[in-house]
Amino acid sequence: MPHLPDVVMWSIPAFVLLTVLEMVSYRRHPAQESGAAGYEAKDAATSIGMGVGSLVFDALWKIPIVAIYTAVYELTPLRVPVLWWTLPLMLLAQDFFYYWSHRGHHVIRVLWACHVVHHSSEKFN
């Protein structure tokens, strides 16, 4: 199996760079028609803090999940080969399941209780 890069570790620098570019853009060209003030320090700090907390919680949660997936992988005879045409199919399948998981977080109350902080900011930044 080929060694695939850790997408999260590669996306963090891109996320930080795009956030800084957006902040600079707001400072240079404020949105007069909507009255948007751009980034507010408290709001941005809260969002970043929740993101870091989410990464820590995810790291702790992944330990038992990886153990379960490893056990299931060892017990099942099913294998998906890593080929040029299987990767797009697996990405499509993963996106499909993520959509339904995310939708479930919006309609099932106990899942919404965990997910609502994702929607707590008054600004979409």
Side-chain angles (χ1 to χ4, degrees):
M1 180 172 194
H3 176 69
L4 301 174
D6 184 359
V7 177
V8 173
M9 293 309 294
W10 281 97
S11 65
I12 290 173
F15 174 78
V16 170
L17 175 66
L18 291 171
T19 301
V20 169
L21 286 173
E22 188 177 20
M23 291 170 73
V24 169
S25 173
Y26 265 122
R27 296 285 187 253
R28 295 192 68 195
H29 306 287
Q32 290 89 5
E33 68 277 356
S34 66
Y39 280 81
E40 293 182 15
K42 288 182 181 180
D43 195 47
T46 300
S47 293
I48 291 168
M50 288 189 329
V52 170
S54 177
L55 288 174
V56 171
F57 183 77
D58 282 351
L60 295 174
W61 176 245
K62 285 180 183 177
I63 293 169
I65 295 298
V66 168
I68 292 168
Y69 281 175
T70 302
V72 169
Y73 179 81
E74 293 298 326
L75 294 173
T76 184
L78 302 174
R79 300 289 184 262
V80 176
V82 180
L83 302 170
W84 70 269
W85 61 272
T86 59
L87 288 177
L89 289 176
M90 292 298 106
L91 287 171
L92 188 62
Q94 192 278 334
D95 193 53
F96 175 79
F97 289 116
Y98 175 79
Y99 168 81
W100 285 105
S101 170
H102 190 242
R103 184 174 167 96
H105 280 77
H106 282 257
V107 297
I108 299 169
R109 287 183 182 212
V110 69
L111 297 178
W112 176 250
C114 300
H115 186 79
V116 70
V117 294
H118 164 73
H119 297 279
S120 65
S121 178
E122 291 183 9
K123 300 190 180 302
F124 191 65
N125 56 23

